[in-house]
Amino acid sequence: MPVASAQLKSALILAGLYAQGKTIITEPKSSRNHTELMINGFGGNISSEMNKIIVNPVEELFGHEITVPGDISSAAFFIVAALIVPNSEVLIKNVGLNETRTGIIDVLKAMGASIEIIETGDRIEPAGDLIIKSSSLHGVEIGGDLIPRLIDELPVIAVAAAFAEGRTIIKDAEELKVKESNRIDAMETELKKAGVEVQATEDGLVIKGGKEVHGASFETYHDHRIAMSMAVLAQAAEGTSRIENHQCINISYPNFFETLLSMQKI
């Protein structure tokens, strides 16, 4: 495959289940493996070697009861909010901890984040509880094989970088240009409104954090992750912020603001 795409890979895997003989899919980098885990849980025969996925045909699959953990891409906004709002402590229960999705935890820990993981068992999908405490963050470099493991979380990671001391470099993330919006340009524009020193590059962002961040009127570009990221920034920014055209959040998290407000009341 020309790019690491879990969606494209999953379509090929599903076709390969009932194809004649073995199907081998090669990716440039490893992508999310939810489909492989789920099908093997149903009795499939899929294995991985480096960046190759080997799909063996099956006679029959068998369904059973499944517990679906919480989405770490949705939890990411509250993880970052807890880290950048002073004197915060948040418990997020039953979060999916699939290693192909936990790049954000690895990066935030490298930035100095206090994140405690309490694993709750290894089912088809590993999961656990997270305890996050506000932390003094510092800049890091993010790129390479990490990118497919946190591509959707990069906008809110950029928010964390705005409150981190020093420089954060995000690279190898050209895919951000072809999401619901061009997230590289969108985050550069919106972070600058908040007084953040940030520069877009061909494949990412360079953010110099640690300075005062102030509220502003933020545009969402009809992109749910941009909208939620700027709402998280607003929690720790000086002054009032306004999120324009925030209805796009309903695409993935209809009760996002309700959850955010409930955290503030605890």
Side-chain angles (χ1 to χ4, degrees), residues 150-216:
L150 47 64
I151 188 70
D152 287 338
E153 291 75 64
L154 283 173
V156 78
I157 288 173
V159 170
F163 291 90
E165 290 290 336
R167 187 170 67 167
T168 294
I169 300 173
I170 299 171
K171 62 181 184 179
D172 304 322
E174 299 94 335
E175 187 182 341
L176 288 176
K177 294 180 178 180
V178 292
K179 293 292 187 176
E180 284 85 341
S181 68
N182 181 331
R183 290 176 177 168
I184 292 176
D185 289 350
M187 289 306 297
E188 178 192 39
T189 300
E190 301 312 305
L191 288 175
K192 281 183 175 178
K193 289 180 183 178
V196 179
E197 187 176 345
V198 54
Q199 180 65 51
T201 64
E202 283 298 314
D203 62 352
L205 294 162
V206 178
I207 301 164
K208 293 181 180 179
K211 299 179 181 179
E212 181 177 311
V213 178
H214 58 75

Side-chain angles (χ1 to χ4, degrees), residues 26-37:
T26 303
E27 301 181 286
K29 297 175 184 176
S30 296
S31 62
R32 301 170 181 181
N33 65 353
H34 299 299
T35 303
E36 297 96 302
L37 293 179

Side-chain angles (χ1 to χ4, degrees), residues 77 155 159 181 183 186-187 190 218-234 242-250 256-257 260:
F77 300 101
V159 170
S181 68
R183 290 176 177 168
M187 289 306 297
E190 301 312 305
F218 299 114
E219 182 52 65
T220 66
Y221 308 85
H222 305 288
D223 186 331
H224 56 136
R225 298 199 191 280
I226 299 296
M228 289 186 281
S229 295
M230 300 320 294
V232 167
L233 178 143
R242 181 181 178 88
I243 312 298
E244 305 286 353
N245 301 310
H246 59 79
Q247 295 82 0
C248 57
I249 291 174
N250 293 337
F256 171 77
F257 285 111
L260 195 61

Side-chain angles (χ1 to χ4, degrees), residues 135-148:
S135 305
S136 296
L137 304 177
H138 56 79
V140 295
E141 184 170 312
I142 306 164
D145 292 340
L146 260 177
I147 295 299

Side-chain angles (χ1 to χ4, degrees), residues 76-89:
F77 300 101
F78 303 103
I79 293 172
V80 172
L83 291 173
I84 64 175
V85 175
N87 304 314
S88 295
E89 182 173 348

